[in-house]
Amino acid sequence: MGLLNLSWKNLTNKPLSMLLSLVLFALGVGLISFLFLLNRQINEKFEKNLAGIDLVIGAKGSPLQLILSSMYHIDAPTGNIPIKDVMPYLNPKNPFIKMAVPLSLGDSYRGYRIVGTSANLLELYQAKVNKGRSFTRLMEVLAGAGAAQELGLKIGSTFQSSHGLIEDENLVHGGHDFKVVGILKPTGAAIDQLLLTAAQSIWEVHEHGGMGVAPAIEEEEEDHHEAEHQKEDSTELADPDHDHAETTQQVGPVALTNQENDYASEDHSHDDDHLESITTYPDKEITSLLLQFNGRSITTLNLQRMINQNTSMQAATPAIEITRLYSLMGVGQDALRWLAFIIMGVSGLSIFISLFSSLRDRRYELALMRTMGASPGKLFSMIVLEGLLLSVLGYLLGLLISHGGMELLAGEMKAAYRYTFTGRIFLVEELYLLVGALAVGFIAAVIPAIQARNTDISRTLAEG
């Protein structure tokens, strides 16, 4: 009988003791592995969604909430800001601003957020159009890869938005259909889960959709509202053949920022479309503004403080707020990590007690093995192998628990935040965890193994 087979027979001779040691060891390994998986994927999501954004401007409130809602799209917006208040940052001649991307939030479709923005958002996330083209007109939508897949959207699909960020048939904006004109390639960032459209589409739905204004869009005075209608009615659209049946009246062209749209499809035939800047609508509102600086200077470093102290808006630096979030999460993660180490230590103690106590019942057996030619080194190796077998089995069971648990959590995370997590990956850190598990098994078995090697043959046989 081989040494491995003999060690296995010895372990299964006391199944309850073996099961206890396995469960404890698997819980420790599983918890540590789960933390590895969760941390790696959360860090990747945070890093990808930073997208080179240096500053986010929005309504007064929690700066962390502003960052989470505007960049990670996992929180409610803090409110709205008038376009006229952010005009200096939308100025194409501003030497300190490389790119300014507006966001209008507050609506969704079947739980997926609809974002009124400019096509420059694609440049921030380095996103490319996979099918169709980017939005260039009112009520056109460019769908993220994940949103399109989950919602079953294709080029030409139409849908109606819902008020707020929850799915409720009573909050649907009737009479205004969004039309999908393009689908993005997967990026792994939050943009995969968004439905992108022009800011004017969001304004149009809330001003004429029968639901009133969005949570982040302030209701205007009646006389100004009528003046806007007159202005829009008098605007001549570049394409007279365009079908406006989806809207209640003609409106101006799609709103863009100071940067040109580099992501429209090359085969787009509407070359005569005049794309105006949202600065032509100073009395409208947006939820936030994403800024990318044109280098670092004293002015850009002091911009956040200047906005927070001298305006009715707030500015937040993504790197600072995410670091703060990490520090808050780190306390809980450290506690769980130490708990996992304690569980692994207890499991190692359990293995030691199990092997040590079994030696009393196996002394006669070990003595017989010595008389039959087994060397002291072979007895030592057999006991150590039992400890290593327990640690390897506990490690494998722990990985099964951690990866299975991650898959279950992934479903909940996707339903709640539209982020994709998975347990179907194997990390390098888990190899280090295997080395640690083997070390625990070896240390737990080494003292019993030494005792087995030093077995007194004559005395043990004499005692029977």
Side-chain angles (χ1 to χ4, degrees):
M1 183 180 292
L3 194 61
L4 180 63
N5 192 23
L6 184 58
S7 297
W8 175 250
K9 291 291 185 180
N10 290 332
L11 287 177
T12 55
N13 188 47
K14 292 187 175 182
L16 292 180
S17 178
M18 174 184 171
L19 182 61
L20 176 62
S21 299
L22 278 180
V23 170
L24 286 174
F25 207 92
L27 287 177
V29 170
L31 188 53
I32 295 175
S33 172
F34 181 81
L35 290 175
F36 283 152
L37 291 170
L38 188 61
N39 285 342
R40 169 64 66 84
Q41 295 181 70
I42 287 179
N43 290 340
E44 287 179 351
K45 297 294 186 294
F46 278 132
E47 290 296 327
K48 286 184 178 180
N49 287 295
L50 283 176
I53 299 168
D54 296 304
L55 197 68
V56 180
I57 302 175
K60 292 287 188 183
S62 166
L64 180 58
Q65 181 182 354
L66 177 62
I67 296 298
L68 292 178
S69 63
S70 298
M71 294 178 56
Y72 299 95
H73 301 278
I74 55 176
D75 205 344
T78 56
N80 266 355
I81 53 176
I83 292 179
K84 59 185 178 183
D85 289 352
V86 293
M87 283 288 198
Y89 314 112
L90 294 169
N91 187 347
K93 297 181 180 180
N94 191 321
F96 304 105
I97 306 300
K98 179 181 179 181
M99 184 181 300
V101 181
L103 298 180
S104 291
L105 308 173
D107 278 2
S108 63
Y109 172 58
R110 289 171 54 186
Y112 285 81
R113 300 190 180 205
I114 300 174
V115 179
T117 184
S118 72
N120 295 310
L121 185 67
L122 278 65
E123 185 176 346
L124 280 178
Y125 290 97
Q126 300 181 352
K128 303 292 183 181
V129 177
N130 185 30
K131 298 179 181 178
R133 57 177 174 83
S134 180
F135 57 88
T136 57
R137 296 175 179 234
L138 191 73
M139 308 307 290
E140 290 184 340
V141 166
L142 178 61
Q149 181 179 2
E150 292 297 322
L151 298 173
L153 297 177
K154 300 178 180 179
I155 304 299
S157 298
T158 60
F159 61 88
Q160 294 179 342
S161 62
S162 295
H163 188 67
L165 304 177
I166 60 174
E167 186 176 354
D168 191 337
E169 294 181 357
N170 297 321
L171 300 178
V172 174
H173 298 291
H176 288 76
D177 289 346
F178 285 94
K179 183 179 180 180
V180 178
V181 297
I183 297 174
L184 293 172
K185 294 181 180 178
T187 65
I191 196 172
D192 290 348
Q193 311 302 327
L194 302 180
L195 301 170
L196 307 179
T197 186
Q200 283 186 339
S201 299
I202 303 297
W203 300 336
E204 171 68 11
V205 167
H206 289 94
E207 290 177 356
H208 308 291
M211 286 295 300
V213 295
I217 298 181
E218 183 181 354
E219 186 176 5
E220 302 179 358
E221 298 293 334
E222 185 64 24
D223 55 345
H224 179 72
H225 190 63
E226 293 177 358
E228 284 295 316
H229 276 287
Q230 293 174 2
K231 176 182 177 181
E232 292 170 353
D233 286 337
S234 62
T235 302
E236 180 180 356
L237 295 180
D239 187 357
D241 297 327
H242 181 63
D243 184 8
H244 297 278
E246 297 177 358
T247 62
T248 57
Q249 64 178 62
Q250 289 184 338
V251 296
V254 171
L256 292 180
T257 60
N258 47 311
Q259 286 78 24
E260 294 180 354
N261 176 13
D262 296 330
Y263 289 88
S265 175
E266 294 180 358
D267 62 351
H268 183 229
S269 60
H270 304 288
D271 295 331
D272 55 348
D273 277 351
H274 176 60
L275 305 178
E276 294 182 356
S277 168
I278 64 170
T279 56
T280 59
Y281 305 92
D283 295 319
K284 299 291 185 180
E285 292 186 338
I286 57 176
T287 305
S288 58
L289 188 68
L290 309 179
L291 296 183
Q292 193 175 69
F293 294 148
N294 193 15
R296 296 289 180 177
S297 65
I298 297 297
T299 301
T300 57
L301 291 175
N302 291 329
L303 184 58
Q304 178 181 358
R305 180 173 57 84
M306 185 272 292
I307 292 174
N308 289 335
Q309 292 181 355
N310 302 321
T311 72
S312 60
M313 305 178 293
Q314 78 163 333
T317 302
I320 294 176
E321 297 305 321
I322 295 306
T323 300
R324 185 178 303 170
L325 180 61
Y326 277 149
S327 66
L328 295 175
M329 294 171 54
V331 176
Q333 291 177 351
D334 289 342
L336 289 176
R337 190 175 294 111
W338 277 109
L339 176 62
F341 288 143
I342 292 173
I343 293 176
M344 283 195 67
V346 171
S347 66
L349 182 60
S350 174
I351 294 174
F352 167 76
I353 294 174
S354 175
L355 294 178
F356 190 81
S357 62
S358 68
L359 286 180
R360 293 184 177 181
D361 301 329
R362 297 165 56 189
R363 284 185 305 171
Y364 191 76
E365 171 191 336
L366 296 175
L368 287 177
M369 291 179 63
R370 288 292 307 278
T371 59
M372 296 175 64
S375 65
K378 187 173 183 179
L379 297 185
F380 180 88
S381 300
M382 182 182 69
I383 301 300
V384 167
L385 191 56
E386 291 178 19
L388 295 179
L389 277 174
L390 281 174
S391 62
V392 169
L393 291 175
Y395 171 81
L396 294 176
L397 182 58
L399 289 189
L400 182 62
I401 292 173
S402 65
H403 287 255
M406 192 69 233
E407 278 294 301
L408 293 177
L409 180 64
E412 297 297 326
M413 296 287 281
K414 190 169 186 178
Y417 303 113
R418 307 304 177 191
Y419 278 92
T420 302
F421 288 79
T422 181
R424 301 175 184 178
I425 57 174
F426 190 85
L427 306 179
V428 176
E429 291 84 350
E430 291 177 313
L431 288 177
Y432 303 147
L433 186 57
L434 173 60
V435 175
L438 291 175
V440 171
F442 177 81
I443 293 172
V446 69
I447 294 179
I450 291 174
Q451 283 198 340
R453 184 190 63 182
N454 296 334
T455 299
D456 188 333
I457 301 175
S458 57
R459 181 179 177 183
T460 302
L461 293 178
E463 290 176 355

